Each structure stands twice: as structure tokens, then as C-alpha cells.
Amino acid sequence: DAGVIQSPRHEVTEMGQEVTLRCKPISGHNSLFWYRQTMMRGLELLIYFNNNVPIDDSGMPEDRFSAKMPNASFSTLKIQPSEPRDSAVYFCASSGQGLFNQPQHFGDGTRLSIL
Amino acid sequence: KQEVTQIPAALSVPEGENLVLNCSFTDSAIYNLQWFRQDPGKGLTSLLLIQSSQREQTSGRLNASLDKSSGRSTLYIAASQPGDSATYLCAVKKANFGNEKLTFGTGTRLTIIP
């Protein structure tokens, strides 16, 4: 059973460039989450979707960040323009729907370095 | 605002010993609490999920307890093994219908010494 798939695994780019991170959730899951992890701030929720609709984007740091979920099997997180302080590991997670809340399943992350 | 704390930040234990990891949270109005492990360069793996109405959950050598009124949870690992070395994070979900947000602690980095 395939888990959450993220691409690329690593991204190194120069400041000012556009960065697009991709996520394929587990088939059948209806909630998708984007997180950012840094040593200083730990794991922070950026945005989450339910049934492809953005529910809470209060964690998105600035207008430079945007996220889309055009269908149930794909989501993107875009940073434009990128800055060195955006360097972090970005995780995507998904969870299913059930009588009791289902655990979130995480991808292996994208390690982003902005030079 | 919910705050989740995990102390200590790092812990080293000889192989075979039993150990307890701690998690505390400031707002007791939670829906559930999850324990995750994170291996270097990897994402988080869910270990145990405790509903607010439950007091504990067990999976193999792992046992998680929840005391909602005091804002505490513990993860007990029995007969520790080198493969248990990882960072362990707890996360709480607020008791809002339809709110799927988790608030994470900063984790405890566990090292099991062979």
C-alpha cells in the first residue's frame, strides 16, 4: 500500500526563484495537510484541505506561500519568490474519514534549501 | 492558545530498560492525542492515538496514557531496543467539530545504547 508521496525529496535553489512542492495523498484519504519543520520552530501546520477545499490556512506565513488541491490525489505548495528563511523540511500528510478521528500519515518530506 | 511541551528534549537509556516519555499540554479541551516517532530524514509515523474519553492505548511494547484533566500524557516503552532510537513527538487535536488541526510538541530525542 503506497503511503503519502512527496516530490522532490531535496530542492536547492537561489533566492527569488519559484519553488513548487508536490504531494500525492493516500488513496481514499479526504484530508491533506502541509507542515513545515525547522529546528527553531519545530513542526508547524501551514494549511489543510478537506475534500479538496482549503479549511484553515492561518499557518501560511506570507502571501508568498500558496497551496492548491485540484483533485483528491494531488496537491501543491508554492513559494514565490523564495527567501533563505524558507529553508526547512516540508511535510505533507493525509488522513481518512471515520467514526473516530484517523491518524495522520506523513510523507518523507521535501528538504528545501534557499541560497 | 494550546501549547504542548515535551521534557526532556533528549534521553539516553541502556538497551533493555523500560522508559517513559512525557508530554504536557495547556488546554485540556482536546479531542485526541497522538504519539509519533520520527527517524532521521523521514516523516512521522503514527504510533498510538488516544481519544479524549480513553485513558490508555497499547501496541506491542508501547503503552500510552492520557490524563486530560491534568494535561499530561506518557509513552511507556518496555524492554527498549536500539531500533527504538528516534525522536518521539506528541500532538493534540482540539475539541472542535471538523477541526483537524494538530498541535505538536517539540519532541524527545531517544537514544538506546546497545
Side-chain angles (χ1 to χ4, degrees):
Chain A
D1 215 8
V4 175
I5 299 172
Q6 292 187 245
S7 64
R9 287 298 315 277
H10 303 275
E11 175 89 12
V12 180
T13 192
E14 292 187 347
M15 180 176 65
Q17 297 297 306
E18 178 179 291
V19 174
T20 300
L21 311 181
R22 297 173 175 79
C23 176
K24 177 179 170 55
I26 292 173
S27 177
H29 282 190
N30 67 327
S31 293
L32 183 140
F33 308 81
W34 282 102
Y35 291 91
R36 178 172 67 178
Q37 187 176 41
T38 62
M39 288 293 294
M40 290 296 294
R41 300 174 68 92
L43 199 61
E44 303 173 283
L45 177 67
L46 301 177
I47 184 172
Y48 83 90
F49 296 82
N50 194 42
N51 294 323
N52 310 339
V53 176
I55 302 300
D56 188 334
D57 65 355
S58 59
M60 296 285 262
E62 299 171 33
D63 291 345
R64 299 183 296 105
F65 285 69
S66 63
K68 294 182 179 180
M69 192 164 187
N71 57 63
S73 60
F74 183 67
S75 177
T76 60
L77 178 68
K78 188 173 293 187
I79 308 172
Q80 166 64 20
S82 58
E83 297 182 3
R85 60 194 169 117
D86 302 330
S87 298
V89 181
Y90 290 81
F91 289 104
C92 175
S94 69
S95 66
Q97 191 172 32
L99 180 61
F100 298 102
N101 290 130
Q102 301 297 310
Q104 293 185 16
H105 298 262
F106 282 70
D108 285 340
T110 295
R111 184 173 296 274
L112 177 63
S113 297
I114 307 297
L115 306 178
Chain B
K1 180 186 173 186
Q2 178 74 272
E3 292 184 5
V4 182
T5 305
Q6 293 183 248
I7 296 173
L11 180 66
S12 293
V13 175
E15 180 179 0
E17 286 199 2
N18 304 326
L19 61 100
V20 174
L21 305 179
N22 298 298
C23 172
S24 60
F25 46 94
T26 55
D27 185 350
S28 62
I30 66 169
Y31 193 83
N32 64 40
L33 183 145
Q34 280 184 252
W35 281 94
F36 295 86
R37 71 174 277 167
Q38 184 175 25
D39 295 285
K42 296 288 189 180
L44 280 66
T45 300
S46 181
L47 298 172
L48 290 164
L49 184 151
I50 312 177
Q51 299 290 340
S52 62
S53 58
Q54 298 174 323
R55 295 195 67 85
E56 64 179 310
Q57 281 285 336
T58 298
S59 176
R61 294 183 294 107
L62 306 180
N63 176 277
S65 69
L66 175 64
D67 184 343
K68 202 173 68 165
S69 60
S70 67
R72 294 173 186 258
S73 175
T74 62
L75 179 67
Y76 174 83
I77 302 177
S80 58
Q81 303 170 358
D84 295 330
S85 297
T87 297
Y88 290 79
L89 298 99
C90 65
V92 297
K93 180 180 293 187
K94 195 173 180 181
N96 278 359
F97 177 75
N99 186 337
E100 297 295 315
K101 288 178 67 171
L102 294 178
T103 302
F104 282 83
T106 50
T108 295
R109 182 182 300 172
L110 176 65
T111 302
I112 305 300
I113 305 165

